[in-house]
Amino acid sequence: MIKFILRRLGISSLVLLGGSVLMFVLTINSGDPLADLRESNDPNRDSLIAQRINNMGLDDPWYERYGAWLAGVGRCVVGSCDLGVNRAGIPVIDLLGNAAAATLRLVILSTLLAIVIGIGIGILTAIRQYSGFDYIVTFFAFMMYSLPVFWAAVLLKEYGAIRFNDWIVSPDLALWQIALVALVLAVVIAGALGGDARRRLLTGGATFLFVFAAMFYFDAVDWYRQPALGIGVVAVASIGAALLIVMLSSGLGNKNVLYAALTTVGAGIVSYFVFSSQLGEPTWGVLFGLFAVAIVIAVLSGALWGGYSRTMAIWVSVATATVMSLVIVVDQALSAWAGYLGSVRNGRPISTIGAETPNYDGTFWQEFLDKGTQLLLPTILLTLVSVASYSRYTRSSMLEVLEQDYVRTARSKGLSERVVITKHAFRNALIPITTIVAFDFAGLIGGAVLTETVFGWKGMGELFRTGLVQVDPAPVMAFFLVTGTAAVVMNMLADIAYAFLDPRIRR
């Protein structure tokens, strides 16, 4: 494996080198970098032209300019990267840092959500092949996949920001609106869980009643402006997540794993009270420190309770601790929502442009909400587009695996459908999905140009577009360096994941 990785790194380095030469030559020959100044009537035009020629090195041959850039990249090995300056004389490394930070915030969250949701939906549609649920998901998947991104972004800005901001000033839902939402969720959940007509009716009816009652209560107590979860909801949600994770992994019959997960939840509830003051106004360092403590507790819980299923118990406990940590973060953020509404943009929380509110000064959780609301709409857009492809690929891969002989053998041995799906079919179905994830993430690192443009994000896509328009190779080459390296690294991780998913590949 080490020899394989080193060989791939060597080949990838040569590919990146050749690609960088081609990218540099194409960029500098795509137009005139002095065109705007030649047409200017500024009395200092000649000095401005001379300054730009000096900044961009236009008097030097192209290979000397490329060599200077490559030498600056080579200094990254010793921690002193020099990617040159743009035509205005601003260091590109500073522009790249800001652009990469904005894009990574957007890409990582949307990719993780798309993977989890898309793969989950794909598995359900494969299991419920040719059912009504399968047809509905297929319809919406193809619709989302074919939607023009700019049009969907405009719709999100209209209904997810402008109209929502108008509604949140005095939130009120009519009974027919509450009933409609409850009915849609009831139909979706009943179709996803499947079963005979009686089971679907009971599932749908229970879902309808629960959602209708919850939304009616929220509307009555003005929950939409003053939301809160509290330790009760946190505990119930965490216990539910623990039971679901145990059911999908080892089954509720494995008491060792079940007790490990529930012990992790119990320790989390105690920690909620012990660290309440730190959670009220934390820093990012405190949050990550508390999360590390939660993981350590989860590992100890799994090791103590695991017995013969120790490895499984540890992984289940870690997953439970992660979910519970996210629920606690949501609880703390919701508790700051009312104060945030009163401190930002005249009570209009969802912004239609930009990555954060300029010069916003609030508490930690209010600033968390500010960045989160700015991130909301572009994340939803990218997630919807990616979920469509992930769900289709997963469905196709699962259907192919479910027809294999070893799956029929597992069923004939009397294994439960849960074991057949999670331990035999799903792991092998992930192999082609791994390739799609690697390419998708590496592509999105380059910046969702249309999405960033519509929502006014100054990310990698904006950096690349500006460099091309201005015939400025420095930002373009910085873009190429990051995206090319990301493509190499993600494909390398995909190869390693293949070996983990299928031990035969290691040989």
Side-chain angles (χ1 to χ4, degrees), residues 367-411:
E367 293 182 1
F368 178 87
L369 287 171
D370 179 63
K371 291 182 173 62
T373 52
Q374 303 274 359
L375 193 64
L376 183 63
L377 297 185
T379 298
I380 290 175
L381 178 62
L382 292 179
T383 300
L384 288 177
V385 174
S386 298
V387 160
S389 58
Y390 283 131
S391 64
R392 293 293 87 198
Y393 283 119
T394 304
R395 179 183 183 275
S396 176
S397 183
M398 280 292 294
L399 289 176
E400 181 180 355
V401 170
L402 288 173
E403 296 297 323
Q404 299 297 317
D405 291 338
Y406 64 85
V407 174
R408 286 194 290 268
T409 301
R411 284 174 171 153

mmCIF file of all heavy atoms in Angstrom, residues 367-411:
data_model
loop_
_atom_site.group_PDB
_atom_site.id
_atom_site.type_symbol
_atom_site.label_atom_id
_atom_site.label_comp_id
_atom_site.label_asym_id
_atom_site.label_seq_id
_atom_site.Cartn_x
_atom_site.Cartn_y
_atom_site.Cartn_z
ATOM 1 N N GLU A 367 -23.180 35.371 17.220
ATOM 2 C CA GLU A 367 -22.298 35.362 16.053
ATOM 3 C C GLU A 367 -22.351 34.011 15.343
ATOM 4 O O GLU A 367 -22.257 33.944 14.111
ATOM 5 C CB GLU A 367 -20.864 35.682 16.485
ATOM 6 C CG GLU A 367 -20.692 37.106 16.996
ATOM 7 C CD GLU A 367 -19.254 37.415 17.360
ATOM 8 O OE1 GLU A 367 -18.396 36.514 17.194
ATOM 9 O OE2 GLU A 367 -18.982 38.545 17.811
ATOM 10 N N PHE A 368 -22.516 32.937 16.100
ATOM 11 C CA PHE A 368 -22.700 31.613 15.513
ATOM 12 C C PHE A 368 -23.954 31.588 14.636
ATOM 13 O O PHE A 368 -23.938 31.063 13.515
ATOM 14 C CB PHE A 368 -22.799 30.580 16.643
ATOM 15 C CG PHE A 368 -23.046 29.169 16.184
ATOM 16 C CD1 PHE A 368 -21.985 28.348 15.846
ATOM 17 C CD2 PHE A 368 -24.339 28.663 16.094
ATOM 18 C CE1 PHE A 368 -22.212 27.042 15.421
ATOM 19 C CE2 PHE A 368 -24.573 27.367 15.673
ATOM 20 C CZ PHE A 368 -23.500 26.559 15.335
ATOM 21 N N LEU A 369 -25.044 32.159 15.154
ATOM 22 C CA LEU A 369 -26.279 32.227 14.372
ATOM 23 C C LEU A 369 -26.119 33.118 13.150
ATOM 24 O O LEU A 369 -26.675 32.822 12.082
ATOM 25 C CB LEU A 369 -27.421 32.745 15.249
ATOM 26 C CG LEU A 369 -27.964 31.776 16.296
ATOM 27 C CD1 LEU A 369 -28.944 32.501 17.224
ATOM 28 C CD2 LEU A 369 -28.665 30.598 15.617
ATOM 29 N N ASP A 370 -25.383 34.213 13.290
ATOM 30 C CA ASP A 370 -25.181 35.120 12.160
ATOM 31 C C ASP A 370 -24.492 34.402 11.009
ATOM 32 O O ASP A 370 -24.947 34.464 9.860
ATOM 33 C CB ASP A 370 -24.362 36.330 12.605
ATOM 34 C CG ASP A 370 -24.101 37.297 11.479
ATOM 35 O OD1 ASP A 370 -25.071 37.862 10.945
ATOM 36 O OD2 ASP A 370 -22.930 37.490 11.112
ATOM 37 N N LYS A 371 -23.408 33.708 11.301
ATOM 38 C CA LYS A 371 -22.709 32.965 10.252
ATOM 39 C C LYS A 371 -23.547 31.791 9.753
ATOM 40 O O LYS A 371 -23.523 31.445 8.564
ATOM 41 C CB LYS A 371 -21.357 32.479 10.768
ATOM 42 C CG LYS A 371 -20.356 33.598 11.015
ATOM 43 C CD LYS A 371 -19.025 33.045 11.485
ATOM 44 C CE LYS A 371 -17.960 34.133 11.561
ATOM 45 N NZ LYS A 371 -18.279 35.193 12.527
ATOM 46 N N GLY A 372 -24.318 31.182 10.662
ATOM 47 C CA GLY A 372 -25.152 30.054 10.260
ATOM 48 C C GLY A 372 -26.284 30.450 9.332
ATOM 49 O O GLY A 372 -26.575 29.756 8.352
ATOM 50 N N THR A 373 -26.930 31.584 9.611
ATOM 51 C CA THR A 373 -28.020 32.024 8.741
ATOM 52 C C THR A 373 -27.494 32.463 7.372
ATOM 53 O O THR A 373 -28.163 32.279 6.354
ATOM 54 C CB THR A 373 -28.789 33.183 9.385
ATOM 55 O OG1 THR A 373 -27.873 34.219 9.775
ATOM 56 C CG2 THR A 373 -29.547 32.715 10.620
ATOM 57 N N GLN A 374 -26.284 33.045 7.342
ATOM 58 C CA GLN A 374 -25.676 33.393 6.060
ATOM 59 C C GLN A 374 -25.346 32.135 5.261
ATOM 60 O O GLN A 374 -25.383 32.137 4.032
ATOM 61 C CB GLN A 374 -24.395 34.205 6.292
ATOM 62 C CG GLN A 374 -24.564 35.475 7.098
ATOM 63 C CD GLN A 374 -24.975 36.660 6.246
ATOM 64 O OE1 GLN A 374 -25.108 36.529 5.051
ATOM 65 N NE2 GLN A 374 -25.168 37.803 6.861
ATOM 66 N N LEU A 375 -25.019 31.071 5.976
ATOM 67 C CA LEU A 375 -24.629 29.818 5.338
ATOM 68 C C LEU A 375 -25.833 28.992 4.899
ATOM 69 O O LEU A 375 -25.703 28.096 4.057
ATOM 70 C CB LEU A 375 -23.785 29.015 6.335
ATOM 71 C CG LEU A 375 -22.992 27.812 5.865
ATOM 72 C CD1 LEU A 375 -21.922 28.236 4.880
ATOM 73 C CD2 LEU A 375 -22.357 27.121 7.067
ATOM 74 N N LEU A 376 -26.990 29.303 5.422
ATOM 75 C CA LEU A 376 -28.158 28.437 5.277
ATOM 76 C C LEU A 376 -28.574 28.231 3.826
ATOM 77 O O LEU A 376 -28.668 27.090 3.341
ATOM 78 C CB LEU A 376 -29.317 29.026 6.089
ATOM 79 C CG LEU A 376 -30.607 28.206 6.123
ATOM 80 C CD1 LEU A 376 -30.360 26.862 6.789
ATOM 81 C CD2 LEU A 376 -31.699 28.968 6.854
ATOM 82 N N LEU A 377 -28.861 29.302 3.103
ATOM 83 C CA LEU A 377 -29.429 29.175 1.759
ATOM 84 C C LEU A 377 -28.466 28.526 0.759
ATOM 85 O O LEU A 377 -28.867 27.594 0.047
ATOM 86 C CB LEU A 377 -29.893 30.546 1.260
ATOM 87 C CG LEU A 377 -31.022 31.202 2.064
ATOM 88 C CD1 LEU A 377 -31.459 32.489 1.389
ATOM 89 C CD2 LEU A 377 -32.204 30.264 2.217
ATOM 90 N N PRO A 378 -27.201 28.968 0.644
ATOM 91 C CA PRO A 378 -26.315 28.276 -0.296
ATOM 92 C C PRO A 378 -26.067 26.820 0.075
ATOM 93 O O PRO A 378 -25.904 25.972 -0.797
ATOM 94 C CB PRO A 378 -25.021 29.103 -0.242
ATOM 95 C CG PRO A 378 -25.107 29.919 0.987
ATOM 96 C CD PRO A 378 -26.554 30.151 1.239
ATOM 97 N N THR A 379 -26.069 26.517 1.378
ATOM 98 C CA THR A 379 -25.898 25.121 1.791
ATOM 99 C C THR A 379 -27.087 24.277 1.354
ATOM 100 O O THR A 379 -26.928 23.155 0.851
ATOM 101 C CB THR A 379 -25.729 25.037 3.318
ATOM 102 O OG1 THR A 379 -24.550 25.740 3.703
ATOM 103 C CG2 THR A 379 -25.606 23.590 3.771
ATOM 104 N N ILE A 380 -28.298 24.809 1.539
ATOM 105 C CA ILE A 380 -29.491 24.084 1.101
ATOM 106 C C ILE A 380 -29.443 23.823 -0.395
ATOM 107 O O ILE A 380 -29.754 22.720 -0.874
ATOM 108 C CB ILE A 380 -30.765 24.873 1.474
ATOM 109 C CG1 ILE A 380 -30.968 24.867 2.992
ATOM 110 C CG2 ILE A 380 -31.997 24.297 0.783
ATOM 111 C CD1 ILE A 380 -32.132 25.730 3.447
ATOM 112 N N LEU A 381 -29.039 24.828 -1.158
ATOM 113 C CA LEU A 381 -29.000 24.685 -2.615
ATOM 114 C C LEU A 381 -28.014 23.600 -3.032
ATOM 115 O O LEU A 381 -28.374 22.690 -3.807
ATOM 116 C CB LEU A 381 -28.621 26.027 -3.236
ATOM 117 C CG LEU A 381 -28.477 26.040 -4.758
ATOM 118 C CD1 LEU A 381 -29.792 25.676 -5.424
ATOM 119 C CD2 LEU A 381 -27.993 27.391 -5.238
ATOM 120 N N LEU A 382 -26.782 23.675 -2.550
ATOM 121 C CA LEU A 382 -25.778 22.680 -2.926
ATOM 122 C C LEU A 382 -26.154 21.287 -2.420
ATOM 123 O O LEU A 382 -25.888 20.288 -3.088
ATOM 124 C CB LEU A 382 -24.407 23.086 -2.385
ATOM 125 C CG LEU A 382 -23.771 24.326 -3.017
ATOM 126 C CD1 LEU A 382 -22.431 24.605 -2.367
ATOM 127 C CD2 LEU A 382 -23.604 24.144 -4.510
ATOM 128 N N THR A 383 -26.770 21.220 -1.245
ATOM 129 C CA THR A 383 -27.178 19.923 -0.705
ATOM 130 C C THR A 383 -28.256 19.284 -1.562
ATOM 131 O O THR A 383 -28.197 18.091 -1.879
ATOM 132 C CB THR A 383 -27.683 20.086 0.739
ATOM 133 O OG1 THR A 383 -26.639 20.634 1.554
ATOM 134 C CG2 THR A 383 -28.108 18.743 1.315
ATOM 135 N N LEU A 384 -29.254 20.065 -1.966
ATOM 136 C CA LEU A 384 -30.331 19.521 -2.793
ATOM 137 C C LEU A 384 -29.802 18.988 -4.120
ATOM 138 O O LEU A 384 -30.202 17.912 -4.585
ATOM 139 C CB LEU A 384 -31.393 20.595 -3.041
ATOM 140 C CG LEU A 384 -32.279 20.974 -1.857
ATOM 141 C CD1 LEU A 384 -33.222 22.105 -2.239
ATOM 142 C CD2 LEU A 384 -33.073 19.772 -1.358
ATOM 143 N N VAL A 385 -28.898 19.733 -4.740
ATOM 144 C CA VAL A 385 -28.347 19.292 -6.019
ATOM 145 C C VAL A 385 -27.527 18.014 -5.843
ATOM 146 O O VAL A 385 -27.627 17.080 -6.649
ATOM 147 C CB VAL A 385 -27.482 20.412 -6.635
ATOM 148 C CG1 VAL A 385 -26.779 19.912 -7.890
ATOM 149 C CG2 VAL A 385 -28.341 21.618 -6.974
ATOM 150 N N SER A 386 -26.716 17.951 -4.779
ATOM 151 C CA SER A 386 -25.870 16.778 -4.567
ATOM 152 C C SER A 386 -26.667 15.572 -4.081
ATOM 153 O O SER A 386 -26.346 14.429 -4.432
ATOM 154 C CB SER A 386 -24.763 17.104 -3.560
ATOM 155 O OG SER A 386 -23.924 18.124 -4.041
ATOM 156 N N VAL A 387 -27.695 15.795 -3.268
ATOM 157 C CA VAL A 387 -28.518 14.688 -2.777
ATOM 158 C C VAL A 387 -29.133 13.927 -3.941
ATOM 159 O O VAL A 387 -29.249 12.695 -3.915
ATOM 160 C CB VAL A 387 -29.611 15.206 -1.825
ATOM 161 C CG1 VAL A 387 -30.753 14.203 -1.696
ATOM 162 C CG2 VAL A 387 -29.029 15.472 -0.449
ATOM 163 N N ALA A 388 -29.539 14.641 -4.973
ATOM 164 C CA ALA A 388 -30.159 13.987 -6.128
ATOM 165 C C ALA A 388 -29.212 12.959 -6.742
ATOM 166 O O ALA A 388 -29.619 11.815 -7.023
ATOM 167 C CB ALA A 388 -30.547 15.046 -7.166
ATOM 168 N N SER A 389 -27.949 13.324 -6.940
ATOM 169 C CA SER A 389 -27.009 12.383 -7.550
ATOM 170 C C SER A 389 -26.625 11.270 -6.582
ATOM 171 O O SER A 389 -26.566 10.095 -6.971
ATOM 172 C CB SER A 389 -25.754 13.134 -8.022
ATOM 173 O OG SER A 389 -25.137 13.805 -6.943
ATOM 174 N N TYR A 390 -26.371 11.608 -5.309
ATOM 175 C CA TYR A 390 -26.001 10.569 -4.346
ATOM 176 C C TYR A 390 -27.099 9.526 -4.183
ATOM 177 O O TYR A 390 -26.831 8.325 -4.104
ATOM 178 C CB TYR A 390 -25.682 11.198 -2.988
ATOM 179 C CG TYR A 390 -24.332 11.847 -2.907
ATOM 180 C CD1 TYR A 390 -24.176 13.129 -2.404
ATOM 181 C CD2 TYR A 390 -23.188 11.187 -3.328
ATOM 182 C CE1 TYR A 390 -22.937 13.747 -2.331
ATOM 183 C CE2 TYR A 390 -21.946 11.784 -3.267
ATOM 184 C CZ TYR A 390 -21.829 13.062 -2.766
ATOM 185 O OH TYR A 390 -20.593 13.657 -2.705
ATOM 186 N N SER A 391 -28.351 9.968 -4.114
ATOM 187 C CA SER A 391 -29.456 9.025 -3.937
ATOM 188 C C SER A 391 -29.590 8.103 -5.140
ATOM 189 O O SER A 391 -29.841 6.902 -4.983
ATOM 190 C CB SER A 391 -30.761 9.780 -3.697
ATOM 191 O OG SER A 391 -31.112 10.560 -4.825
ATOM 192 N N ARG A 392 -29.393 8.633 -6.352
ATOM 193 C CA ARG A 392 -29.499 7.797 -7.549
ATOM 194 C C ARG A 392 -28.357 6.786 -7.612
ATOM 195 O O ARG A 392 -28.576 5.601 -7.915
ATOM 196 C CB ARG A 392 -29.484 8.667 -8.807
ATOM 197 C CG ARG A 392 -30.684 9.562 -8.998
ATOM 198 C CD ARG A 392 -31.946 8.773 -9.259
ATOM 199 N NE ARG A 392 -32.619 8.380 -8.024
ATOM 200 C CZ ARG A 392 -33.526 7.429 -7.940
ATOM 201 N NH1 ARG A 392 -33.877 6.728 -8.997
ATOM 202 N NH2 ARG A 392 -34.102 7.144 -6.792
ATOM 203 N N TYR A 393 -27.139 7.229 -7.375
ATOM 204 C CA TYR A 393 -26.000 6.312 -7.417
ATOM 205 C C TYR A 393 -26.121 5.237 -6.335
ATOM 206 O O TYR A 393 -25.826 4.060 -6.576
ATOM 207 C CB TYR A 393 -24.691 7.080 -7.238
ATOM 208 C CG TYR A 393 -24.232 7.824 -8.468
ATOM 209 C CD1 TYR A 393 -24.083 9.207 -8.459
ATOM 210 C CD2 TYR A 393 -23.937 7.146 -9.653
ATOM 211 C CE1 TYR A 393 -23.665 9.891 -9.592
ATOM 212 C CE2 TYR A 393 -23.520 7.825 -10.784
ATOM 213 C CZ TYR A 393 -23.374 9.197 -10.750
ATOM 214 O OH TYR A 393 -22.962 9.868 -11.868
ATOM 215 N N THR A 394 -26.536 5.639 -5.135
ATOM 216 C CA THR A 394 -26.670 4.666 -4.050
ATOM 217 C C THR A 394 -27.750 3.642 -4.366
ATOM 218 O O THR A 394 -27.573 2.438 -4.128
ATOM 219 C CB THR A 394 -26.996 5.384 -2.734
ATOM 220 O OG1 THR A 394 -25.996 6.358 -2.449
ATOM 221 C CG2 THR A 394 -27.067 4.398 -1.582
ATOM 222 N N ARG A 395 -28.888 4.102 -4.871
ATOM 223 C CA ARG A 395 -29.973 3.186 -5.228
ATOM 224 C C ARG A 395 -29.504 2.166 -6.260
ATOM 225 O O ARG A 395 -29.738 0.954 -6.120
ATOM 226 C CB ARG A 395 -31.162 3.969 -5.771
ATOM 227 C CG ARG A 395 -32.347 3.100 -6.205
ATOM 228 C CD ARG A 395 -33.458 3.961 -6.792
ATOM 229 N NE ARG A 395 -34.619 3.171 -7.142
ATOM 230 C CZ ARG A 395 -34.777 2.531 -8.294
ATOM 231 N NH1 ARG A 395 -33.798 2.594 -9.215
ATOM 232 N NH2 ARG A 395 -35.853 1.827 -8.534
ATOM 233 N N SER A 396 -28.824 2.650 -7.300
ATOM 234 C CA SER A 396 -28.343 1.749 -8.347
ATOM 235 C C SER A 396 -27.337 0.747 -7.800
ATOM 236 O O SER A 396 -27.403 -0.458 -8.101
ATOM 237 C CB SER A 396 -27.721 2.571 -9.479
ATOM 238 O OG SER A 396 -27.163 1.739 -10.464
ATOM 239 N N SER A 397 -26.407 1.226 -6.973
ATOM 240 C CA SER A 397 -25.390 0.338 -6.421
ATOM 241 C C SER A 397 -25.999 -0.688 -5.470
ATOM 242 O O SER A 397 -25.632 -1.870 -5.492
ATOM 243 C CB SER A 397 -24.335 1.175 -5.691
ATOM 244 O OG SER A 397 -23.300 0.366 -5.196
ATOM 245 N N MET A 398 -26.945 -0.254 -4.637
ATOM 246 C CA MET A 398 -27.589 -1.184 -3.705
ATOM 247 C C MET A 398 -28.387 -2.254 -4.450
ATOM 248 O O MET A 398 -28.347 -3.439 -4.089
ATOM 249 C CB MET A 398 -28.509 -0.409 -2.761
ATOM 250 C CG MET A 398 -27.802 0.274 -1.610
ATOM 251 S SD MET A 398 -27.106 -0.885 -0.394
ATOM 252 C CE MET A 398 -28.599 -1.610 0.276
ATOM 253 N N LEU A 399 -29.116 -1.856 -5.483
ATOM 254 C CA LEU A 399 -29.895 -2.837 -6.241
ATOM 255 C C LEU A 399 -28.987 -3.871 -6.896
ATOM 256 O O LEU A 399 -29.326 -5.058 -6.963
ATOM 257 C CB LEU A 399 -30.738 -2.126 -7.297
ATOM 258 C CG LEU A 399 -31.927 -1.311 -6.773
ATOM 259 C CD1 LEU A 399 -32.624 -0.580 -7.911
ATOM 260 C CD2 LEU A 399 -32.920 -2.210 -6.044
ATOM 261 N N GLU A 400 -27.842 -3.417 -7.383
ATOM 262 C CA GLU A 400 -26.897 -4.361 -7.993
ATOM 263 C C GLU A 400 -26.352 -5.333 -6.955
ATOM 264 O O GLU A 400 -26.245 -6.546 -7.204
ATOM 265 C CB GLU A 400 -25.764 -3.582 -8.648
ATOM 266 C CG GLU A 400 -24.740 -4.466 -9.331
ATOM 267 C CD GLU A 400 -23.625 -3.671 -9.987
ATOM 268 O OE1 GLU A 400 -23.707 -2.428 -9.985
ATOM 269 O OE2 GLU A 400 -22.670 -4.303 -10.495
ATOM 270 N N VAL A 401 -25.995 -4.820 -5.770
ATOM 271 C CA VAL A 401 -25.435 -5.679 -4.734
ATOM 272 C C VAL A 401 -26.488 -6.649 -4.194
ATOM 273 O O VAL A 401 -26.176 -7.817 -3.912
ATOM 274 C CB VAL A 401 -24.857 -4.813 -3.591
ATOM 275 C CG1 VAL A 401 -24.494 -5.655 -2.386
ATOM 276 C CG2 VAL A 401 -23.641 -4.042 -4.079
ATOM 277 N N LEU A 402 -27.715 -6.190 -4.048
ATOM 278 C CA LEU A 402 -28.766 -7.047 -3.488
ATOM 279 C C LEU A 402 -29.073 -8.252 -4.372
ATOM 280 O O LEU A 402 -29.700 -9.210 -3.907
ATOM 281 C CB LEU A 402 -30.047 -6.228 -3.272
ATOM 282 C CG LEU A 402 -30.003 -5.213 -2.117
ATOM 283 C CD1 LEU A 402 -31.242 -4.342 -2.107
ATOM 284 C CD2 LEU A 402 -29.847 -5.925 -0.785
ATOM 285 N N GLU A 403 -28.651 -8.227 -5.625
ATOM 286 C CA GLU A 403 -28.859 -9.362 -6.523
ATOM 287 C C GLU A 403 -27.694 -10.340 -6.518
ATOM 288 O O GLU A 403 -27.742 -11.354 -7.229
ATOM 289 C CB GLU A 403 -29.083 -8.845 -7.949
ATOM 290 C CG GLU A 403 -30.340 -8.011 -8.138
ATOM 291 C CD GLU A 403 -31.604 -8.811 -7.853
ATOM 292 O OE1 GLU A 403 -31.627 -10.017 -8.194
ATOM 293 O OE2 GLU A 403 -32.544 -8.235 -7.275
ATOM 294 N N GLN A 404 -26.668 -10.055 -5.731
ATOM 295 C CA GLN A 404 -25.498 -10.922 -5.720
ATOM 296 C C GLN A 404 -25.774 -12.212 -4.948
ATOM 297 O O GLN A 404 -26.635 -12.277 -4.072
ATOM 298 C CB GLN A 404 -24.309 -10.187 -5.096
ATOM 299 C CG GLN A 404 -23.892 -8.934 -5.844
ATOM 300 C CD GLN A 404 -23.407 -9.237 -7.245
ATOM 301 O OE1 GLN A 404 -22.648 -10.192 -7.459
ATOM 302 N NE2 GLN A 404 -23.842 -8.430 -8.206
ATOM 303 N N ASP A 405 -24.973 -13.239 -5.273
ATOM 304 C CA ASP A 405 -25.169 -14.553 -4.661
ATOM 305 C C ASP A 405 -24.943 -14.528 -3.155
ATOM 306 O O ASP A 405 -25.663 -15.196 -2.394
ATOM 307 C CB ASP A 405 -24.231 -15.585 -5.309
ATOM 308 C CG ASP A 405 -24.609 -15.890 -6.754
ATOM 309 O OD1 ASP A 405 -25.782 -15.647 -7.117
ATOM 310 O OD2 ASP A 405 -23.732 -16.350 -7.512
ATOM 311 N N TYR A 406 -23.946 -13.779 -2.692
ATOM 312 C CA TYR A 406 -23.643 -13.792 -1.259
ATOM 313 C C TYR A 406 -24.763 -13.158 -0.436
ATOM 314 O O TYR A 406 -24.948 -13.495 0.738
ATOM 315 C CB TYR A 406 -22.305 -13.121 -0.970
ATOM 316 C CG TYR A 406 -22.224 -11.662 -1.306
ATOM 317 C CD1 TYR A 406 -22.655 -10.681 -0.424
ATOM 318 C CD2 TYR A 406 -21.685 -11.252 -2.513
ATOM 319 C CE1 TYR A 406 -22.568 -9.337 -0.737
ATOM 320 C CE2 TYR A 406 -21.588 -9.913 -2.843
ATOM 321 C CZ TYR A 406 -22.028 -8.965 -1.950
ATOM 322 O OH TYR A 406 -21.940 -7.630 -2.277
ATOM 323 N N VAL A 407 -25.522 -12.243 -1.033
ATOM 324 C CA VAL A 407 -26.666 -11.668 -0.320
ATOM 325 C C VAL A 407 -27.784 -12.698 -0.213
ATOM 326 O O VAL A 407 -28.413 -12.847 0.853
ATOM 327 C CB VAL A 407 -27.152 -10.392 -1.030
ATOM 328 C CG1 VAL A 407 -28.434 -9.872 -0.386
ATOM 329 C CG2 VAL A 407 -26.079 -9.322 -0.994
ATOM 330 N N ARG A 408 -28.038 -13.420 -1.305
ATOM 331 C CA ARG A 408 -29.051 -14.489 -1.242
ATOM 332 C C ARG A 408 -28.634 -15.578 -0.254
ATOM 333 O O ARG A 408 -29.469 -16.126 0.465
ATOM 334 C CB ARG A 408 -29.255 -15.080 -2.640
ATOM 335 C CG ARG A 408 -30.041 -14.178 -3.567
ATOM 336 C CD ARG A 408 -30.511 -14.939 -4.804
ATOM 337 N NE ARG A 408 -29.384 -15.262 -5.671
ATOM 338 C CZ ARG A 408 -28.975 -14.489 -6.675
ATOM 339 N NH1 ARG A 408 -29.603 -13.338 -6.915
ATOM 340 N NH2 ARG A 408 -27.962 -14.845 -7.428
ATOM 341 N N THR A 409 -27.330 -15.851 -0.191
ATOM 342 C CA THR A 409 -26.840 -16.851 0.769
ATOM 343 C C THR A 409 -27.066 -16.371 2.201
ATOM 344 O O THR A 409 -27.481 -17.151 3.079
ATOM 345 C CB THR A 409 -25.349 -17.117 0.532
ATOM 346 O OG1 THR A 409 -25.145 -17.589 -0.795
ATOM 347 C CG2 THR A 409 -24.825 -18.143 1.527
ATOM 348 N N ALA A 410 -26.793 -15.098 2.448
ATOM 349 C CA ALA A 410 -26.991 -14.552 3.791
ATOM 350 C C ALA A 410 -28.460 -14.653 4.195
ATOM 351 O O ALA A 410 -28.775 -14.982 5.354
ATOM 352 C CB ALA A 410 -26.531 -13.100 3.825
ATOM 353 N N ARG A 411 -29.365 -14.372 3.270
ATOM 354 C CA ARG A 411 -30.794 -14.483 3.592
ATOM 355 C C ARG A 411 -31.199 -15.932 3.815
ATOM 356 O O ARG A 411 -32.002 -16.241 4.701
ATOM 357 C CB ARG A 411 -31.613 -13.866 2.468
ATOM 358 C CG ARG A 411 -31.608 -12.331 2.482
ATOM 359 C CD ARG A 411 -32.300 -11.766 1.277
ATOM 360 N NE ARG A 411 -32.476 -10.321 1.402
ATOM 361 C CZ ARG A 411 -32.571 -9.484 0.383
ATOM 362 N NH1 ARG A 411 -32.500 -9.956 -0.868
ATOM 363 N NH2 ARG A 411 -32.736 -8.192 0.580
#
